[in-house]
Amino acid sequence: MIRPMRLAAAGTAAVSLALALTACGQTAAPQTPAAGGGGGAGGGGEGIGLLLPESTSSTRYDAFDKPLIEKTVAGLCTKCTMSYANAGGDANTQKKQFDDMVAKGVKVILLDPVDAKLTAPWVDAANAKGVKVVAYDRLAQGKVAAYVSFDNQQTGQLQGQSLLDALGSKASSANVVMIDGAESDPNAAQFKTGAHLALDGKVKIAYEQSGEWKPEVATAKTNEAIQSLGKNGIQAVYAANDGMAAAVIDALKAAGIKNVPVGGQDASIDAVRRVLTGEQAYTIYKPYKPETDAAGTIAVQLAEGMDISTTATSSTDSGGLRIPSLLLTPIVVTKSRVEATVVVGGLYKAADICTQQYAEACAEAGVK
């Protein structure tokens, strides 16, 4: 019912984006000036910087986002150069990386902020120097030129509804623990809002804390919840992402707590395997390629002084500013939908998921 509609919506977004990419590809080449040197330096070239936030609690950034964005940029602008840095979860490190890229003379920076609340001075200073900043995946504060992400409140609603679906008739009497994302991340606040829209009034939120996007913090918070509520006082756990969901599941196992639905998001391969074995109730698949295609396309368009309205087709409010945006549709992944989502969508091959350890679970779920 609702889930096939979500999948169809994501497909429509991808088709629309493909058309935008085609249009850009037809017009970009004649407008491309000589490239700059030095891995994204200025000097008349289209230097594009990519700053991603971390590499430990989520493996997606180096495994998917970086190579896919680089591929899109290279396909649209053969003379563009790219610089890349990962902040390792440290906002001060990211500030230095940002300043270094501005000093290099890049024309556009794709920024996925570690702490979005800190970025306004950086973004505005870069903007004053003619450097355009595109907020990628998380909405950075300041005068960003564009924003590319998924509908984060909708993601949270899907997480909450999926937890209700997993609880079934037990929902009305269930104590739910919520381990939210980092308070410094605006996406986490939107996930939380969406989850509460789905859960409030239908379950009891018995314990809620931030997991800070860190598995070790999620473990500690889960143990606190167990101590507070008792082994029989937890009927489900909302975890804001898959890394924290894995930690929650391990903590519940260590306490001897079984048959408690736990959900996450990001569709990491280990989470997909846990969904198949029943350890994790669901994950949320946010197809990387439509998001990275949009980010790369907008970066090239801005670097070449082109109109971005063919790609950033909506807008988002940020401190009273309307930011040109593209917000994509997330997709729920449950055991019965692994094949139809992450396999058909091309995120993983069935052979990658279905190692010998998971062969039986894959066969039961029709993953082939």
Side-chain angles (χ1 to χ4, degrees), residues 68-352:
L68 288 172
I69 289 172
E70 289 176 341
K71 184 176 180 180
T72 296
V73 169
L76 294 174
C77 179
T78 57
K79 295 183 179 180
C80 287
T81 56
M82 284 202 68
S83 298
Y84 171 67
N86 190 303
D90 187 278
N92 291 327
T93 297
Q94 190 169 64
K95 171 65 164 62
K96 183 180 185 304
Q97 293 168 341
F98 186 95
D99 290 344
D100 288 346
M101 286 192 180
V102 172
K104 261 186 184 179
V106 299
K107 289 190 172 183
V108 179
I109 296 176
L110 290 165
L111 173 63
D112 189 342
V114 174
D115 188 339
K117 296 177 183 178
L118 302 178
T119 62
W122 322 351
V123 171
D124 293 345
N127 194 55
K129 295 179 180 180
V131 180
K132 303 294 185 184
V133 178
V134 178
Y136 176 68
D137 204 55
R138 297 170 181 165
L139 182 56
Q141 291 189 2
K143 296 179 181 179
V144 297
Y147 173 46
V148 178
S149 188
F150 281 79
D151 186 326
N152 297 312
Q153 183 168 304
Q154 184 184 52
T155 297
Q157 286 182 278
L158 290 175
Q159 289 178 297
Q161 183 58 52
S162 297
L163 207 60
L164 290 175
D165 293 346
L167 284 166
S169 62
K170 299 177 182 178
S172 61
S173 60
N175 281 347
V176 171
V177 170
M178 293 185 67
I179 309 297
D180 301 317
E183 294 178 359
S184 61
D185 180 354
N187 287 12
Q190 293 172 330
F191 300 146
K192 177 179 174 179
T193 296
H196 275 286
L197 285 172
L199 294 171
D200 288 355
K202 297 175 182 175
V203 298
K204 178 182 178 182
I205 307 300
Y207 175 96
E208 183 172 12
Q209 292 288 320
S210 168
E212 301 177 20
W213 296 134
K214 296 178 180 179
E216 64 273 20
V217 176
T219 298
K221 298 301 182 183
T222 303
N223 287 333
E224 286 180 10
I226 294 168
Q227 291 171 5
S228 173
L229 302 172
K231 291 184 178 181
N232 297 320
I234 300 173
Q235 280 71 56
V237 182
Y238 162 94
N241 76 353
D242 288 335
M244 294 194 301
V248 168
I249 291 166
D250 287 344
L252 294 174
K253 284 181 181 178
I257 300 173
K258 300 178 181 179
N259 301 319
V260 169
V262 179
Q265 73 162 308
D266 283 341
S268 62
I269 195 164
D270 59 317
V272 171
R273 288 169 176 158
R274 289 193 298 272
V275 168
L276 286 168
T277 60
E279 292 178 285
Q280 186 166 322
Y282 63 87
T283 185
I284 303 294
Y285 171 39
K286 297 185 290 187
Y288 300 125
K289 195 168 188 307
E291 188 180 22
T292 57
D293 279 350
T297 299
I298 289 172
V300 170
Q301 289 172 332
L302 288 171
E304 296 186 340
M306 296 169 63
D307 180 10
I308 66 172
S309 62
T310 55
T311 310
T313 54
S314 61
S315 65
T316 300
D317 180 77
S318 178
L321 298 174
R322 297 305 300 180
I323 308 299
S325 305
L326 179 65
L327 301 180
L328 298 162
T329 302
I331 303 165
V332 176
V333 181
T334 56
K335 182 173 182 176
S336 64
R337 303 193 68 242
V338 169
E339 172 77 19
T341 54
V342 297
V343 176
V344 171
L347 181 63
Y348 306 116
K349 295 178 181 178
D352 297 329

